[in-house]
Amino acid sequence: MDKKRILTVPQMIFCERKSNEMGITLSQLMDSAGEKLAGHILRICREKMTKNVVILVGKGNNGGDGLVAANILHDSGVIPTIALCCGTPSTDLSKAAFERLHRDIPVEVFENAQEDFSLINRADILVDCIFGTGFKGQIRDNMFPMFKAAENSDSYVIACDIPSGANAQSGEISEGTISADLTVTFHSRKLGMVLSPAKYQCGKIVTEDIGIPDSVFDCGENLMKNYIGDNGNSDFFRSLLPSRPPWGHKGTFGKIISVCGSESYIGAAGISALAAMRTGAGLVDLCTPKAVISALSTRLLECTYSHMKTDGNGFMTSENVPDILKKLETADCLLLGCGLGHTSETERLVSELIENSPCPVILDADGINSVCPNINVLLKKKSTVILTPHPAELARLCGVSTKEVLSDRHKYASSLAQKYGVTVVSKGAETLVCSGNVTGIISAGNTALSKGGSGDMLAGIIASFTAQDPLNAMGNAMLGCYVMGKTAEMLSSDKSERGILASDIINALPVYLKSLENNQQE
């Protein structure tokens, strides 16, 4: 069992089904889960020197795990109290587990909101086996008093598989979600457990083997190839850094053509260009309106500028396509969209550049908005394309609401990546990088990044790494997210996250990169 593996909820269901087909029955999996859960409860009993355990049991298989654990505790000399929180168990497995429950284990039933929940308040160890990985939506109103009692309890809380009220797929949480000190999860962590805000409800996460054969991953189903890795190891990201030979020159380290900026959005062009240069790109040619050049050229001295034609409102037009394509003949990367604005002309500009660019394209902000009306142009691309949408932009790309995207960001980002053969950087508190049927999760960063300009900065960093190593789209995207996030964390060690700006992070990028290069990570 790979304890670093993270699975989606459908993938976990697939694993259980295939395991059952291979002869490891669902009943056996439940028995194993209950045994592993009981082991952790007994360990905490010894540490806390108590036998006062209350197990909150739901009506599904999560509750069944708790009932199995209760019998094992009983046989070990710890007699817990069972609290049935949703009525009697209702699934075949949980009903069978309830029938096998030792008769001298006390059982209480919480039937309505007016119950006396002092049992919860008196517990030294509270075990949450109410809802499992299938939970979605909100905890019902009539259950709030019980969840409130759990919240107000001084008990040590152990969650079975995932804290009740947390969505194991999206990371969303309901009001009243259990806050655990320890979450004992089975076979693998679930995607929602490493996404905000659910990950903050889990406490310490321990992954236990319950006997699902590793061979389920060899069944040939496309679903299981969609492996998610939480690459939080600095060694992994150090290996992604583009090589930097000591005899290199500016041409060695990549040339970026940046088609960004407008009279209305000047700063985005400058932020993305500076971020690209601070992370190693040899040359940045900023193709932008005259007004942007006038505003930036006295402050941003290291890049070159190309004056682009605009409409009456200062937005670039498709007349510029031939000149830009000529420049791309000797370039390594096209950065497209930061501060571009969105008009019918930018739509034509973006579509023609995506279709004809001979080098990788990083598409951000209004570049994304401009491609949405003609999204099938992505199928005509000559080179790789990396899109960096925030949730609202991802929703536009997928033709759904932002609410739908937030209900399952992974589903929409990975589907988009596979449908169009692109790399999708789905930005959020944790960023999902989807390419083909593989997803990486980047959790580096903090609220210092919750300011205007962060997206432009990220696009510039990814463009820089892509220009230096054009053949590693997913690796460059993941590296860019990680480096930006870790630089923000580094600055926040002695500065408030509230006051850190994108420009502060950009200026600190070389400092963080030095520590990464020299393996000086914490």
Side-chain angles (χ1 to χ4, degrees):
M1 184 192 73
D2 181 359
K3 290 193 175 184
K4 294 183 179 179
R5 180 181 289 128
I6 300 168
L7 296 180
T8 65
V9 173
Q11 287 170 346
M12 188 62 204
I13 293 171
F14 174 89
C15 287
E16 292 171 340
R17 177 169 61 83
K18 281 294 180 183
S19 177
N20 190 60
E21 292 174 5
M22 292 176 177
I24 311 296
T25 67
L26 298 178
S27 179
Q28 288 173 308
L29 295 179
M30 177 175 284
D31 287 345
S32 182
E35 180 183 353
K36 294 298 173 65
L37 176 63
H40 286 281
I41 298 170
L42 289 169
R43 175 176 59 81
I44 299 301
C45 284
R46 290 191 294 270
E47 290 178 4
K48 301 290 183 181
M49 293 185 293
T50 182
K51 294 185 178 181
N52 181 10
V53 178
V54 173
I55 304 178
L56 304 176
V57 171
K59 63 181 181 180
N61 290 345
N62 193 257
D65 295 340
L67 293 168
V68 172
N71 277 342
I72 295 171
L73 294 178
H74 173 279
D75 294 342
S76 301
V78 175
I79 300 179
T81 299
I82 299 295
L84 298 180
C85 302
C86 309
T88 56
S90 62
T91 66
D92 290 342
L93 289 175
S94 62
K95 285 191 288 188
F98 189 52
E99 290 171 2
R100 296 196 304 268
L101 188 69
H102 286 301
R103 295 307 168 198
D104 55 343
I105 294 178
V107 177
E108 293 200 16
V109 181
F110 294 151
E111 294 181 323
N112 56 63
Q114 285 72 47
E115 294 282 353
D116 178 4
F117 297 112
S118 58
L119 173 69
I120 292 175
N121 295 325
R122 294 194 304 267
D124 291 326
I125 299 173
L126 198 60
V127 185
D128 166 25
C129 300
I130 307 172
F131 305 134
T133 56
F135 177 84
K136 298 178 182 178
Q138 297 294 313
I139 295 167
R140 295 195 305 273
D141 289 347
N142 67 325
M143 298 189 73
F144 273 135
M146 182 192 68
F147 277 84
K148 191 69 175 178
E151 179 185 339
N152 292 334
S153 170
D154 292 329
S155 309
Y156 184 95
V157 179
I158 302 173
C160 176
D161 217 6
I162 189 167
S164 292
N167 186 311
Q169 182 68 13
S170 70
E172 296 176 302
I173 61 172
S174 165
E175 182 181 352
T177 296
I178 295 284
S179 181
D181 296 291
L182 170 68
T183 296
V184 181
T185 198
F186 308 117
H187 183 62
S188 71
R189 288 173 293 167
K190 317 308 182 288
L191 176 59
M193 298 171 68
V194 297
L195 299 179
S196 297
K199 73 177 187 180
Y200 296 105
Q201 304 297 121
C202 294
K204 180 182 178 182
I205 299 173
V206 176
T207 305
E208 289 289 2
D209 185 358
I210 55 172
I212 293 176
D214 284 339
S215 56
V216 299
F217 290 92
D218 300 325
C219 293
E221 298 236 359
N222 184 59
L223 178 68
M224 294 316 302
K225 295 176 184 176
N226 192 357
Y227 175 87
I228 299 175
D230 183 13
N231 295 300
N233 188 310
S234 61
D235 290 337
F236 171 79
F237 290 98
R238 189 177 306 106
S239 73
L240 295 177
L241 284 169
S243 61
R244 202 163 182 86
W247 57 86
H249 52 80
K250 61 186 178 183
T252 308
F253 303 118
K255 180 179 181 180
I256 298 171
I257 301 299
S258 175
V259 181
C260 295
S262 62
E263 288 186 18
S264 299
Y265 306 109
I266 292 171
I271 289 171
S272 58
L274 184 57
M277 290 185 287
R278 286 287 189 191
T279 44
L283 292 163
V284 177
D285 184 354
L286 182 52
C287 301
T288 195
K290 184 178 180 180
V292 179
I293 297 173
S294 298
L296 296 179
S297 58
T298 57
R299 289 179 290 164
L300 195 57
L301 304 177
E302 293 84 359
C303 67
T304 59
Y305 297 88
S306 296
H307 176 199
M308 296 287 107
K309 299 172 184 176
T310 62
D311 62 18
N313 294 314
F315 297 109
M316 281 185 265
T317 67
S318 59
E319 293 178 81
N320 298 294
V321 168
D323 290 341
I324 296 170
L325 288 177
K326 184 68 176 176
K327 290 175 176 292
L328 289 173
E329 292 176 2
T330 57
D332 299 288
C333 178
L334 168 62
L335 174 57
L336 179 56
C338 304
L340 186 68
H342 182 196
T343 68
S344 59
E345 276 296 296
T346 63
E347 290 178 6
R348 281 190 282 273
L349 173 72
V350 168
S351 292
E352 291 186 37
L353 290 177
I354 288 173
E355 184 173 351
N356 295 290
S357 175
C359 57
V361 180
I362 313 302
L363 194 65
D364 183 54
D366 277 328
I368 291 172
N369 293 328
S370 293
V371 84
C372 287
N374 187 27
I375 192 168
N376 285 336
V377 75
L378 292 171
L379 297 172
K380 301 177 182 179
K381 62 189 179 300
K382 286 185 170 66
S383 189
T384 57
V385 174
I386 300 174
L387 299 97
T388 60
H390 57 56
E393 291 164 347
L394 180 57
R396 293 180 203 121
L397 287 165
C398 296
V400 298
S401 69
T402 304
K403 183 178 180 181
E404 287 177 276
V405 161
L406 291 173
S407 72
D408 196 342
R409 237 180 351 124
H410 176 258
K411 180 181 78 171
Y412 288 104
S414 61
S415 295
L416 184 71
Q418 293 181 62
K419 181 176 181 179
Y420 293 104
V422 297
T423 297
V424 178
V425 180
S426 175
K427 296 183 290 194
E430 296 78 30
T431 294
L432 306 180
V433 180
C434 301
S435 185
N437 51 23
V438 179
T439 299
I441 304 172
I442 311 299
S443 57
N446 54 34
T447 62
L449 296 168
S450 302
K451 294 187 179 73
S454 293
D456 305 309
M457 172 172 48
L458 177 62
I461 295 171
I462 294 174
S464 176
F465 291 139
T466 301
Q468 296 170 69
D469 183 8
L471 300 179
N472 189 13
M474 183 173 183
N476 293 325
M478 293 177 66
L479 179 62
C481 297
Y482 181 81
V483 165
M484 183 179 75
K486 296 301 284 187
T487 305
E489 291 178 13
M490 178 188 74
L491 280 179
S492 302
S493 64
D494 61 357
K495 294 181 175 64
S496 171
E497 296 173 20
R498 302 171 189 273
I500 295 172
L501 304 177
S503 56
D504 299 324
I505 297 170
I506 291 171
N507 289 333
L509 285 167
V511 178
Y512 175 73
L513 284 169
K514 185 69 172 178
S515 70
L516 182 61
E517 291 163 354
N518 292 345
N519 195 18
Q520 295 172 341
Q521 300 294 287
E522 66 284 350

